[in-house]
Amino acid sequence: MSDRIKMRPDTITTHAGRDPQRFDGVVNTPVFRASTVLFPDVESYEARDGDDYKIMRYGIYGTPTTFALEEAVAQLEGGHAAVALPSGLAAIVAALAAFAKSGAHILITDSVYHPTRNFCDQRLRGMGVEIEYYDPLIGAGIARLIRPNTTAVFCEAPGSHTFEMQDIPAIAAAAHAKGVAVLADTTWGTPYFFRAFEHGVDISIHAGTKYISGHSDVMMGIIVTNEQYWLQLRRAVADYGYCVSPDDCYLALRGLRTIGVRMRHQQQSALQIARWLQRRPEVKRVLYPALEDDPGYALWKRDFTGAASLFGVVLNSTSPRAVAALIDALTLFGIGSSWGGFESLAIPADPGKHRTATQWNPGGPLLRLHIGLEHPDDLIADLERGLEQMRLAG
Ligand SMILES: *Cc1c(COP(=O)(O)O)cnc(C)c1O
C-alpha cells in the first residue's frame, strides 16, 4: 500500500479499486447484486460485526462493487477510507448528523450549498442543535466562535454560487487546537484537484453526482475521512440505513477512471471562456478563483492543483428578463441543476438572498456556467449569440 500512496493521481484513477485476478481476469470490478450474504458456519456469522465495515456481511453495508469505488476515491484523495451514499445531500446530512446531538453547537460557512443550510435550519435546529453561520472569509478568526460545546466546523470552498474561497488550513488549525472536527464540502475541488486531508480537513464530502460520475446519469454521495473519524462516520451512515445500488457504484467508478482527462480539459476550456467573458462589455465580473485577479486566487493556487469548470458571471444588465433572454438563446448550454457532467449548463442564480451572517451582493444579476467537453470556440460563439439577445431584450 505504501508504494501506492506515492503514485500520481492519474495512475491512481487508472489502477485503484480493481483487482482483476479476483474476478477471472476481468479488468473492471463487476456489479455484485446482493442483499443476503451467506456464511459457511455459525462462528463466522457471529463474527461478522467485528470488522470495520470492510467485509461482505449484508447488502446494506456494501458489496465488492461498492468497496471498489470507496477504496479508489479514498486512495485518490489520500484519506483513510470512504463510504458511498445515495446522493451528495445524503452524504452531507449523514456527516453532520454524526456530530449533532441536543446541545451541540455547529459552525457552518455562510456561503454553504443551500440544501445544506436548509437541513441545518429545518432539521438539526429542531433537534436542539445550535447552528451558527460564519463569515466564509473568517480564516483563523474562527477560534473566537468556538465554544466548549462546538462539535464541528463545516467549510465549503469555493462557496456555492458565490465562489468565495476559504482559508481551510487556517480554519482547521484553529478548530483542531480546540479538538473540533473540520468537515468540508469538497465537491468543486474533487478528490482529483483538492487533497483535502493535506489541508486539515477531517471529513471530506463529495457530491459524486458531479465530476466523479461525470456523465449526468448517477446520483451519488461519498464521504472520505481520516483514520480518527472513520468509525464514527461509518457507524452514522449505517445507523441511518443508507446504501447505494451496485450499478450506480459501477457507473461512478467508471466515471472516476477518466476524471483527470475530463477535468483538465474542462478547466482549460473554462479558463478560455472565463477570460473571454471578462473582456465583454456586458460582463461586470467573473467569479472564478482560477483567474489571477479573483480575490480567492492566492488561496486557490496554494491549496488546489486545478479548478472545476464551474464559475459565476455577474452581468451589467439589471433586468431579469434580459438575463433570461441570454440563457434562452443558448443552444449548446442546457438549463438545469447539477454540474460536473460532460455537457455545458447555464442557470441564473441568486445566492445572496440566503445569507444570514454576512451580506453578499455581486452588483448585478448572476449567471452560473458549467463548461463541458464541447469545443470552447463553439461555446464562445453560443455565448456571443446569447449576449446579443440580452442586449436586444434591454
Ligand atoms: C450538487 C451539490 C451537492 C449535492 O449533491 P446531490 O448529489 O445533488 O445531492 C452538494 N454540494 C455541492 C457544492 C453541490 O454542488
Side-chain angles (χ1 to χ4, degrees):
M1 208 62 187
S2 59
D3 56 334
R4 283 191 159 192
I5 286 161
K6 287 191 215 93
M7 289 191 299
R8 290 169 178 81
D10 288 320
T11 310
I12 295 172
T13 55
T14 306
H15 287 274
R18 60 192 189 84
D19 185 358
Q21 294 322 314
R22 263 181 79 197
F23 307 113
D24 294 330
V26 171
V27 168
N28 292 289
T29 303
V31 173
F32 282 82
R33 298 191 149 278
S35 53
T36 297
V37 173
L38 301 177
F39 293 81
D41 49 38
V42 170
E43 192 189 347
S44 52
Y45 177 72
E46 288 185 337
R48 73 195 184 288
D49 288 337
D51 76 295
D52 68 345
Y53 299 91
K54 281 296 157 208
I55 62 158
M56 285 285 288
R57 49 165 139 169
Y58 182 47
I60 202 168
Y61 302 115
T63 69
T65 321
T66 325
F67 299 154
L69 170 68
E70 292 168 346
E71 187 193 316
V73 173
Q75 203 181 324
L76 178 61
E77 194 166 14
H80 171 69
V83 57
L85 291 97
S87 70
L89 184 57
I92 292 163
V93 164
L96 281 168
F99 293 92
K101 56 178 191 246
S102 179
H105 171 244
I106 295 181
L107 287 160
I108 309 270
T109 177
D110 208 23
S111 56
V112 79
Y113 176 63
H114 185 249
T116 306
R117 179 188 291 266
N118 186 63
F119 171 70
C120 291
D121 293 346
Q122 300 303 320
R123 303 290 155 193
L124 289 182
R125 281 200 161 129
M127 298 172 191
V129 180
E130 205 177 334
I131 299 295
E132 182 175 351
Y133 294 98
Y134 67 85
D135 180 348
L137 308 181
I138 199 165
I142 196 85
R144 287 193 304 275
L145 302 183
I146 294 173
R147 307 179 196 162
N149 59 335
T150 305
T151 55
V153 177
F154 192 99
C155 305
E156 183 177 328
S160 262
H161 296 253
T162 65
F163 299 95
E164 296 152 288
M165 284 299 297
Q166 291 199 270
D167 191 340
I168 290 181
I171 291 172
H176 292 160
K178 300 191 177 178
V180 173
V182 177
L183 285 66
D185 181 333
T186 50
T187 300
W188 190 92
T190 78
Y192 188 79
F193 277 156
F194 181 60
R195 290 181 62 82
F197 301 95
E198 290 174 9
H199 304 290
V201 173
D202 299 301
I203 293 119
S204 177
I205 306 160
H206 301 282
T209 308
K210 311 289 164 62
Y211 289 102
I212 292 174
S213 296
H215 295 74
S216 304
D217 52 5
V218 174
M219 297 301 301
M220 175 80 62
I222 302 177
I223 301 173
V224 189
T225 81
N226 58 13
E227 194 167 2
Q228 183 185 355
Y229 289 104
W230 166 243
L231 280 178
Q232 183 178 344
L233 263 291
R234 187 62 188 83
R235 284 191 190 119
V237 173
D239 291 346
Y240 280 91
Y242 284 128
C243 73
V244 178
S245 131
D247 295 280
D248 286 347
C249 290
Y250 186 93
L251 286 173
L253 187 51
R254 175 195 265 241
L256 189 75
R257 299 280 175 228
T258 57
I259 193 171
V261 281
R262 285 187 285 110
M263 287 200 80
R264 278 196 302 274
H265 188 86
Q266 286 173 260
Q267 165 181 245
Q268 206 175 4
S269 298
L271 275 169
Q272 181 185 334
I273 293 165
R275 291 197 174 109
W276 178 82
L277 284 164
Q278 281 185 307
R279 293 193 297 269
R280 295 290 305 197
E282 303 90 340
V283 172
K284 186 185 214 79
R285 201 149 67 89
V286 177
L287 313 176
Y288 193 28
L291 293 170
E292 291 80 353
D293 50 4
D294 188 274
Y297 177 77
L299 289 174
W300 171 78
K301 187 84 187 151
R302 186 190 70 187
D303 296 343
F304 289 62
T305 56
S309 61
L310 184 82
F311 59 84
V313 185
V314 183
L315 297 161
N316 280 319
S317 165
T318 51
S319 141
R321 202 171 58 89
V323 178
L326 186 173
I327 297 173
D328 287 344
L330 300 173
T331 58
L332 298 176
F333 288 81
I335 306 169
S337 297
S338 206
W339 45 279
F342 57 85
E343 84 291 13
S344 293
L345 298 168
I347 51 167
D350 187 9
K353 68 177 182 228
H354 302 302
R355 304 285 277 236
T356 52
T358 49
Q359 296 220 320
W360 191 81
N361 180 1
L366 178 64
L367 176 68
R368 191 187 75 177
L369 295 181
H370 172 256
I371 304 303
L373 291 169
E374 301 92 337
H375 196 289
D377 294 347
D378 292 339
L379 295 176
I380 285 174
D382 206 26
L383 287 166
E384 196 155 23
R385 278 192 295 274
L387 290 170
E388 173 66 20
Q389 290 306 310
M390 183 175 84
R391 269 200 310 276
L392 293 175

